[in-house]
Amino acid sequence: MNNMQRVSLNAVVVAALLSLGACSGMSSQGQSAAIGAGVGAVGGAVLTGGSAAGTVGGAVVGGVIGHEVAK
């Protein structure tokens, strides 16, 4: 992974962690979906080498899994 991809990935991880503070007023199911989407986006980005499609796909899959787990 080149330096620019590493910086981009770190920025995404930091943004995801900071945005978790916005989950305080959400329902448990909403929090789980948001956390799942964040983790999925990071996982998709890592697995596909920073591909936009992989990041978005990971976010979608993670959000759905987080939503369903909280039921």
Side-chain angles (χ1 to χ4, degrees), residues 8-33:
S8 297
L9 180 60
N10 286 336
V12 168
V13 169
V14 169
L17 291 174
L18 290 175
S19 68
L20 290 178
C23 294
S24 63
M26 296 173 72
S27 68
S28 175
Q29 193 170 20
Q31 287 178 352
S32 293

Side-chain angles (χ1 to χ4, degrees), residues 21-71:
C23 294
S24 63
M26 296 173 72
S27 68
S28 175
Q29 193 170 20
Q31 287 178 352
S32 293
I35 291 169
V39 170
V42 171
V46 168
L47 291 175
T48 61
S51 161
T55 303
V56 171
V60 170
V61 171
V64 170
I65 291 173
H67 181 266
E68 294 302 313
V69 167
K71 281 187 176 179

